Amino acid sequence: MAKTKSAYFCQSCGYESAKWLGKCPSCNQWNTFVEEIIDKGNVATWKSASGTQRLNKPNKVEEIQSADEERTTTSDAELDRVLGGGLVAGSVTLIGGEPGIGKSTLMLQLALNVEGRKVLYVSGEESEQQIKMRAERITKDPKSNCYILTETSTQNIFKQIEQLEPEIVIIDSIQTLHSAHIESTPGSVSQVRECTAELLRFAKETNTPVFLIGHITKDGAIAGPKILEHMVDTVLQFEGDRHHIYRILRSIKNRFGAAAELGIYAMQSSGLREVSNPSEILLSQRDEELSGITIGATLEGARPMLIETQALVSVAAYGTPQRSATGFDTKRMNMLLAVLEKRCGFRLSAKDVFLNIAGGIKVEDPAIDLAIMAAIISSHEDIFISSKICFAAEVGLSGEIRAVNRIEQRISEAEKLGFEKIFISNYNLKGLVKDKFKIEIITVSKIEEVFSLLFG
Ligand code: TYD
Ligand code: MG
């Protein structure tokens, strides 16, 4: 019998050690080491048992043949955009997201809708019947040849793949797979790493695109070792509020395109529907003007989006004022509040401040700063700001209004949606042809100016 070998793995970063350690030398986390049995003897993975190993030689960069990146459409415009313009042959894409957000639905929808291709959907989480039921909700007549396999052993999956020869493989989820060559339980660091490595080898050798669904931990990181994210070509995050219908697919890493691209979907009873014009749904149709609401012209990826921000400022009911933000970084909100207090003299330190980005969207673009500050002051003073005004500027610590990137795109989007005025930074004026736009462009350089223009 082969001797079993074990090692200790940090559950946070995947660091491997021969003995147990209290603190991980790599990521400095405490108590993260768990013993896992590994058996690396006679590893037979994707064809490596039969095939001879190819030895790579160094090649001069000019002599390397540039292969045209073959891109194919996934029949889902949002997903294509997030992937950087379509699916690349031999790429491995990891999709992470909270339970119930719709990862399986998104992937099954892809499996059913890619036109005329043979797709293998491997599920280790649901039964064939469950998947069939879901497939019926999504579409009545699939446009692809979609095969479902319920299996968790990578060796068996590869056997089926060799017979079926699918053009796209989807794995739901990587944490349920196990490789016979490693003895630890599915979902453990070494299993996840090994299974991913095997699938990666398969993808690269056969030029088949592979999608992996990954679970996330309670802090929102993809479960398993961080190296999982390093191994794959593309990491996508599927997020949104389960109580809202909108879901956002964000690219975090993409070897074949721009990161920070974004796709928006609406979860309906018949699956996910692409949302091609996000601004219209993110702006609520207001009949009357209300205080505490402003619109920010943000950019997510390469796409401009007008987003409604809502603030509520009220007298603190308890000694310590509450500060809470949904869809926006609370630390950054606190910073903006400090700027308002110090530079503009608003007495906000004894006030509760609540902030909400409409539609359950998370915004990281700093260009929303000015809209947020205006919403807070509008609520504080209880004076409404016209719904025909929008904002696109970052605010610095001394209250200066800073320039943001791609200002023309933001202005055009605001103009397209019928806004009458947009506040931007003075520093954004360089190279900007103001006359081109019909919308009134108001340039400011200090936060005080904004408030005197808004509230007189
Ligand atoms: P699911 O894809 O199972 O999530 P994940 O794989 O990320 O855990 O998402 C399931 C949720 O989506 C579930 O709450 C039901 C809902 N849903 C719809 O609203 N409409 C649909 O057509 C489908 C298939 C699911
Ligand atoms: Mg699922």
Side-chain angles (χ1 to χ4, degrees):
M1 206 182 102
K3 195 169 161 245
T4 54
K5 208 179 128 202
S6 72
Y8 292 85
F9 288 92
C10 169
Q11 299 294 307
S12 161
C13 70
Y15 184 85
E16 184 177 341
S17 159
K19 57 183 197 311
W20 188 85
L21 298 171
K23 183 181 175 186
C24 174
S26 166
C27 67
N28 293 331
Q29 297 282 319
W30 287 91
N31 268 331
T32 52
F33 278 86
V34 171
E35 183 177 17
E36 290 179 9
I37 297 165
I38 48 172
D39 177 14
K40 288 196 177 140
N42 63 46
V43 182
T45 53
W46 167 250
K47 285 198 176 165
S48 67
S50 55
T52 47
Q53 230 184 349
R54 207 181 56 216
L55 209 57
N56 284 339
K57 293 195 310 293
N59 283 321
K60 245 181 126 178
V61 73
E62 295 91 344
E63 288 162 11
I64 299 173
Q65 303 259 323
S66 63
D68 244 356
E69 240 171 50
E70 249 184 84
R71 286 195 188 262
T72 47
T73 174
T74 58
S75 306
D76 176 339
E78 298 293 297
L79 185 60
D80 277 352
R81 192 196 14 257
V82 176
L83 289 173
L87 193 55
V88 178
S91 63
V92 178
T93 306
L94 177 67
I95 297 190
E98 284 187 23
I101 206 76
K103 303 180 292 298
S104 305
T105 308
L106 180 72
M107 283 296 110
L108 187 62
Q109 202 164 320
L110 164 84
L112 294 169
N113 285 338
V114 285
E115 221 144 296
R117 300 180 77 185
K118 202 191 269 181
V119 188
L120 178 65
Y121 185 99
V122 182
S123 180
E125 305 206 329
E126 286 162 293
S127 67
E128 280 178 357
Q129 284 69 33
Q130 275 174 303
I131 299 170
K132 171 76 181 164
M133 265 161 56
R134 187 193 301 247
E136 275 174 349
R137 280 176 83 172
I138 295 170
T139 176
K140 293 278 179 291
D141 64 320
K143 295 184 192 66
S144 64
N145 281 323
C146 178
Y147 291 83
I148 307 289
L149 172 66
T150 47
E151 178 59 68
T152 54
S153 148
T154 53
Q155 275 72 25
N156 293 347
I157 293 172
F158 287 134
K159 254 182 231 150
Q160 298 301 331
I161 286 179
E162 266 177 73
Q163 281 181 6
L164 188 68
E165 298 186 334
E167 290 162 89
I168 297 175
V169 175
I170 295 167
I171 305 286
D172 187 2
S173 63
I174 187 71
Q175 276 86 5
T176 57
L177 291 197
H178 67 92
S179 165
H181 304 294
I182 290 209
E183 278 182 30
S184 52
T185 51
S188 64
V189 172
S190 44
Q191 273 295 3
V192 168
R193 191 167 55 181
E194 175 64 21
C195 295
T196 311
E198 288 176 16
L199 286 160
L200 204 67
R201 226 153 24 221
F202 156 73
K204 301 297 166 198
E205 279 175 25
T206 59
N207 257 341
T208 312
V210 174
F211 284 93
L212 309 174
I213 293 180
H215 294 167
I216 62 169
T217 62
K218 60 178 188 299
D219 340 312
I222 289 171
K226 196 78 185 160
I227 40 169
L228 189 60
E229 286 170 55
H230 290 294
M231 288 162 86
V232 301
D233 298 310
T234 306
V235 180
L236 307 180
Q237 178 101 20
F238 205 36
E239 56 190 42
D241 194 325
R242 238 177 307 163
H243 308 294
H244 284 81
I245 65 164
Y246 298 112
R247 302 281 185 273
I248 293 175
L249 187 66
R250 208 186 274 278
S251 91
I252 301 175
K253 161 187 170 178
N254 193 351
R255 287 192 185 143
F256 311 111
E261 256 316 338
L262 197 106
I264 302 183
Y265 295 89
M267 177 64 95
Q268 296 182 335
S269 56
S270 58
L272 291 155
R273 189 178 57 80
E274 300 158 33
V275 175
S276 47
N277 191 356
S279 298
E280 274 174 16
I281 48 154
L282 293 174
L283 300 177
S284 59
Q285 312 298 322
R286 286 180 264 158
D287 296 330
E288 51 173 339
E289 301 281 15
L290 300 167
S291 68
I293 299 181
T294 56
I295 315 290
T298 69
L299 206 64
E300 291 290 347
R303 184 149 65 154
M305 258 199 306
L306 281 114
I307 293 183
E308 188 173 292
T309 64
Q310 305 171 332
L312 179 68
V313 179
S314 63
V315 178
Y318 305 102
T320 337
Q322 294 188 61
R323 300 291 157 83
S324 102
T326 318
F328 188 71
D329 183 16
T330 313
K331 282 202 198 103
R332 187 149 186 101
M333 176 180 80
N334 283 333
M335 185 207 98
L336 298 178
L337 288 171
V339 172
L340 285 172
E341 179 108 25
K342 173 107 183 173
R343 304 284 161 196
C344 315
F346 290 107
R347 317 276 316 141
L348 294 164
S349 52
K351 298 284 176 72
D352 285 343
V353 180
F354 304 97
L355 189 73
N356 181 33
I357 307 286
I361 296 228
K362 232 189 247 141
V363 182
E364 278 159 14
D365 183 4
I368 201 163
D369 284 358
L370 189 56
I372 285 177
M373 289 174 104
I376 291 170
I377 297 309
S378 161
S379 172
H380 179 67
E381 300 287 316
D382 204 12
I383 303 173
F384 74 85
I385 293 174
S386 160
S387 58
K388 295 285 169 209
I389 297 180
C390 67
F391 304 85
E394 184 181 343
V395 180
L397 283 181
S398 52
E400 80 276 20
I401 309 290
R402 309 174 69 155
V404 291
N405 60 355
R406 307 207 201 191
I407 193 73
E408 292 206 6
Q409 257 182 296
R410 301 175 197 259
I411 298 174
S412 332
E413 178 78 3
E415 185 177 286
K416 204 167 79 195
L417 287 164
F419 284 85
E420 286 162 8
K421 287 180 193 172
I422 182 166
F423 280 77
I424 66 168
S425 162
N426 246 334
Y427 305 104
N428 260 137
L429 272 180
K430 215 166 68 189
L432 183 74
V433 190
K434 255 173 129 179
D435 304 336
K436 210 168 71 178
F437 300 101
K438 282 194 289 296
I439 184 171
E440 186 187 347
I441 298 170
I442 303 171
T443 55
V444 280
S445 57
K446 285 254 151 238
I447 185 79
E448 301 92 305
E449 284 172 45
V450 180
F451 295 133
S452 62
L453 283 170
L454 282 174
F455 307 116

